Amino acid sequence: MVHLPSVGLAVAVASGLLQTVTAAPQASTDSTSTASTTSFLGGLFDFLDVANLTVTHHNGKLYGCKCSPGQLCWPQQWKWNQLNTTVGGNLKLHIPPAASCYNTFTGPLGTVNTYDAAACADVHANWEDEMWTVEKPGAALWTYFTNETCRPTLNPTDSCTLGYYGVYVISATTRNHIKAGIDFARRNNIRLVIRNTGHDFIGRSTGAGSLIINTHSFQDVNWISSYAGPGSYSGPAVTIAAGVQGRSILEQGHAQVPPKVIVTGECPTVGVAGGFIQGGGHGPWTTLKGLSADNVLAFEAITASGHFVTANEAQNSDLFWALKGGGPSAFAVILSVTMKTFDDVSSAGATFYVNNTHIGFDNDAYWNATSIFHKWSNHFVDNGLYVYYELFPFTLRAQPFVAIGKTVAELNAIVAPMLAELTANGISYEWNPKSFPTFFDLYVDLFEAEAAGGSALTGGWLFDHNDVATNNDGIIEAFKTVFSPRPDIFSFIVGHLFNPGYGAPVSNSATHPSWRNATDFVITVLPVPLGASKAVKADYQNVLTNTIDQALRDASGSGATYVNEADPYQPNWQSHFWGSEYPRLKQIRKKWDPLGVFYSIATPGTEDWEVIQDTRLCKKL
């Protein structure tokens, strides 16, 4: 194996690709706050220590690849030991959580005995528990992109291998641990994965041959009565460290006087300051206050060159904008985010069901009910509502309808036209409204935890106001295709009715412009059989991309989908994820990570990168 000469770096430097950035100095403490900043000459001079890619020929093409275990370029053990010392003993060989159910685990560095009856019982009892999985240093909540090579078993003689999980994981407890991991990956040509909670549908929190940096231990929260940073905003705010999850920040906000909220996701395990905000971030408050990224005031982050930086309207403003929805693990590792907060208010919520207890197994009645429900979705979001719903065969389940700041009477009045139309069409239903003293009380009562451990492909698409107003019938026909893309395959839908443009009509983030006229973002979920061969997986991916999601795209003029909950292999992902914002994001990526220290699939500047030979992350040369 030969090494790629550093000609690209020399040419880029000669071309004048030097930038001035504002960096936070390395403090003697490990606080994520920064008292002052200093300027330094950045750009490619900051990457003179980068290791070269290794040249590989594959299918007649030339690639430069990250180093993989077993190659001569893989760091010798003394280097890993040195890294472990630097991170305070927090570097561990990554072993999948279900390995305790097997006699042995065989990884790329050898075989170890792993069977532990008590630990295995714990695995079986908690495999679908999201919080249990989040607490594992490198585990994925949904396992398709791990290659499913070490799931729970009752037969300990079965085979347990690493699959597409990372090789080592740093459970970082200080910001210098994160820096050490970034520096090590950069200097040794190692694939780097940043994991906050592992709440990830499309494989960005795992990667074969990688070093994982886990940021979940960062749990500091600082409530600010009056923000004094750059910009025109001077209201209440909160600074949230990288590992804080949605349910936790809402609980802490509820304890404030008066109670406070932020725009976070509907799922309690989502880490606010990680990939969530870097993808834009949507949730129950989005219709009223915009996307989560629209409410960011500042970031503290670590760059691919290992510098601590502050990013806000005045400092590193390009990075500030890009981190607000420009894609996860693309520009920097977020240490903390400062966001606007809002007073919590009394709210109304409801559950709504149409299922076989109401319509039997009448397929026409089911799709008629679904069509009526969806026809009124513009009306719902135009009246400030958020709705989370699911579509399964003969089941339309909306839990919940969310009416923040409204009474039950006001919610009933908004929904009344839909209920009346259902009744007029002879369709029975169940409608259960309820009042709550705060949104937080509604959140605890009506939102449900998701289940971890499943194996599925995920797609999705955004339907905007015009789509619903002019082509609702076409949308329903697309939903039918999702349910039955062909006779031997079934998939289902999770929908989210919201419009960031209702409360935040002008974007200040890197998110797709089409979100300002949104109505329904639907996720398509295609379960994949456990033990599926490569050929079967390729077939299912083809069905998702070219049948299921193509039907949604054909029914829509929005041209958009959500960065974190969509098919990363779809055509034209650049325009679908970011629209007209993409060219600027790609240029910013070239400034802050010109040599690809960070990588996650289908993010700005990764067009030339791909995984070859199943496990090797490589760049086309």
Side-chain angles (χ1 to χ4, degrees):
M1 191 68 65
V2 295
H3 289 278
L4 174 67
S6 55
V7 173
L9 177 59
V11 171
V13 172
S15 300
L17 293 179
L18 301 177
Q19 310 289 342
T20 299
V21 301
T22 304
Q26 292 188 37
S28 59
T29 70
D30 286 304
S31 170
T32 57
S33 63
T34 304
S36 61
T37 58
T38 182
S39 294
F40 64 90
L41 187 63
L44 285 161
F45 278 145
D46 289 321
F47 294 91
L48 293 178
D49 65 349
V50 70
N52 298 324
L53 300 173
T54 57
V55 171
T56 299
H57 294 269
H58 177 67
N59 288 341
K61 298 178 182 178
L62 189 64
Y63 292 87
C65 299
K66 297 287 187 179
C67 191
S68 298
Q71 294 183 300
L72 292 176
C73 57
W74 187 255
Q76 295 181 30
Q77 190 58 47
W78 69 265
K79 285 191 173 183
W80 292 105
N81 294 341
Q82 188 177 63
L83 174 62
N84 187 39
T85 299
T86 303
V87 300
N90 288 302
L91 176 72
K92 304 295 182 185
L93 189 69
H94 184 228
I95 298 177
S100 59
C101 295
Y102 296 80
N103 288 335
T104 59
F105 160 72
T106 301
L109 305 182
T111 298
V112 294
N113 296 323
T114 52
Y115 184 75
D116 182 317
C120 180
D122 186 57
V123 168
H124 282 284
N126 293 290
W127 185 251
E128 295 185 354
D129 186 305
E130 284 195 334
M131 283 305 301
W132 181 88
T133 308
V134 165
E135 298 301 326
K136 306 304 175 187
L141 267 69
W142 298 283
T143 54
Y144 176 82
F145 287 99
T146 71
N147 203 30
E148 306 287 10
T149 58
C150 192
R151 292 180 65 86
T153 183
L154 296 175
N155 180 6
T157 64
D158 286 345
S159 170
C160 169
T161 61
L162 190 61
Y164 299 158
Y165 273 125
V167 179
Y168 284 99
V169 57
I170 298 172
S171 296
T173 60
T174 74
R175 67 179 192 166
N176 285 325
H177 293 169
I178 300 174
K179 171 180 167 53
I182 295 171
D183 290 345
F184 187 89
R186 184 182 67 250
R187 293 166 181 166
N188 292 280
N189 187 31
I190 301 298
R191 181 176 181 179
L192 185 62
V193 168
I194 310 302
R195 181 195 186 270
N196 183 347
T197 65
H199 188 111
D200 169 28
F201 291 156
I202 57 179
R204 290 177 174 146
S205 292
T206 192
S210 67
L211 169 63
I212 303 168
I213 301 176
N214 183 305
T215 64
H216 185 56
S217 74
F218 291 75
Q219 294 290 324
D220 290 343
V221 174
N222 179 35
W223 299 91
I224 303 166
S225 58
S226 181
Y227 180 71
S232 60
Y233 183 78
S234 59
V238 64
T239 298
I240 306 168
V244 178
Q245 294 169 276
R247 173 67 175 265
S248 175
I249 193 63
L250 291 175
E251 288 176 341
Q252 294 180 61
H254 187 64
Q256 299 298 301
V257 181
K260 299 291 184 183
V261 296
I262 65 165
V263 179
T264 186
E266 55 83 18
C267 180
T269 61
V270 172
V272 179
F276 174 72
I277 274 182
Q278 292 172 85
H282 63 83
W285 279 79
T286 290
T287 297
L288 296 184
K289 301 298 182 182
L291 295 166
S292 190
D294 296 324
N295 292 279
V296 173
L297 301 168
F299 294 102
E300 297 292 334
I302 308 180
T303 68
S305 57
H307 292 294
F308 297 100
V309 297
T310 297
N312 55 37
E313 288 188 27
Q315 299 167 275
N316 303 311
S317 58
D318 59 341
L319 179 62
F320 175 58
W321 178 79
L323 288 173
K324 297 188 298 179
S329 296
F331 302 96
V333 178
I334 295 174
L335 292 169
S336 69
V337 60
T338 301
M339 301 178 64
K340 298 176 184 177
T341 67
F342 309 99
D343 289 343
D344 203 349
V345 292
S346 60
S347 301
T351 58
F352 169 70
Y353 309 123
V354 176
N355 53 43
N356 61 354
T357 64
H358 307 106
I359 58 172
F361 295 96
D362 186 333
N363 201 48
D364 291 338
Y366 170 74
W367 285 114
N368 190 20
T370 302
S371 179
I372 292 169
F373 163 78
H374 202 266
K375 184 184 78 172
W376 288 97
S377 55
N378 280 350
H379 172 72
F380 298 152
V381 299
D382 288 346
N383 279 274
L385 301 189
Y386 169 92
V387 184
Y388 181 93
Y389 73 92
E390 298 165 323
L391 296 179
F392 299 96
F394 305 106
T395 299
L396 161 57
R397 184 176 188 269
Q399 181 170 341
F401 274 72
V402 178
I404 296 170
K406 298 185 185 299
T407 65
V408 165
E410 290 172 316
L411 174 57
N412 283 338
I414 294 168
V415 177
M418 178 194 73
L419 301 181
E421 186 170 353
L422 289 169
T423 299
N425 280 267
I427 298 171
S428 300
Y429 57 83
E430 182 178 333
W431 170 253
N432 302 301
K434 189 175 181 181
S435 62
F436 297 90
T438 66
F439 163 76
F440 178 76
D441 292 292
L442 181 156
Y443 180 82
V444 171
D445 187 55
L446 293 183
F447 281 93
E448 301 172 305
E450 296 173 349
S455 183
L457 288 166
T458 301
W461 197 250
L462 169 65
F463 295 105
D464 63 18
H465 271 53
N466 187 63
D467 294 332
V468 175
T470 64
N471 193 35
N472 193 61
D473 289 345
I475 294 171
I476 300 305
E477 289 303 312
F479 286 177
K480 294 177 182 179
T481 298
V482 173
F483 270 28
S484 184
R486 71 183 193 205
D488 61 324
I489 292 180
F490 159 75
S491 61
F492 60 92
I493 289 171
V494 178
H496 313 75
L497 305 184
F498 61 82
N499 179 20
Y502 177 88
V506 178
S507 172
N508 63 23
S509 62
T511 54
H512 198 299
S514 288
W515 287 111
R516 303 303 144 177
N517 193 39
T519 295
D520 185 10
F521 170 64
V522 301
I523 298 173
T524 55
V525 183
L526 175 58
V528 179
L530 294 177
S533 66
K534 290 181 184 179
V536 169
K537 290 179 178 179
D539 177 44
Y540 272 60
Q541 180 63 60
N542 179 63
V543 169
L544 176 71
T545 302
N546 297 311
T547 302
I548 292 173
D549 279 8
Q550 188 61 52
L552 302 181
R553 292 191 289 268
D554 289 344
S556 170
S558 75
T561 189
Y562 183 52
V563 174
N564 289 341
E565 296 168 326
D567 176 14
Y569 298 102
Q570 65 186 280
N572 303 314
W573 55 263
Q574 299 91 332
S575 62
H576 294 164
F577 286 157
W578 291 286
S580 59
E581 309 291 9
Y582 186 77
R584 182 183 174 195
L585 285 167
K586 190 174 181 180
Q587 285 302 117
I588 294 172
R589 176 66 178 271
K590 288 181 180 178
K591 170 183 172 179
W592 289 94
D593 185 18
L595 300 177
V597 175
F598 299 131
Y599 173 81
S600 61
I601 190 170
T603 52
T606 60
E607 289 88 345
D608 292 333
W609 290 86
E610 63 178 289
V611 174
I612 67 171
Q613 299 168 346
D614 295 331
T615 60
R616 303 190 64 194
L617 178 62
C618 302
K619 185 177 183 179
K620 299 172 188 174
L621 300 179

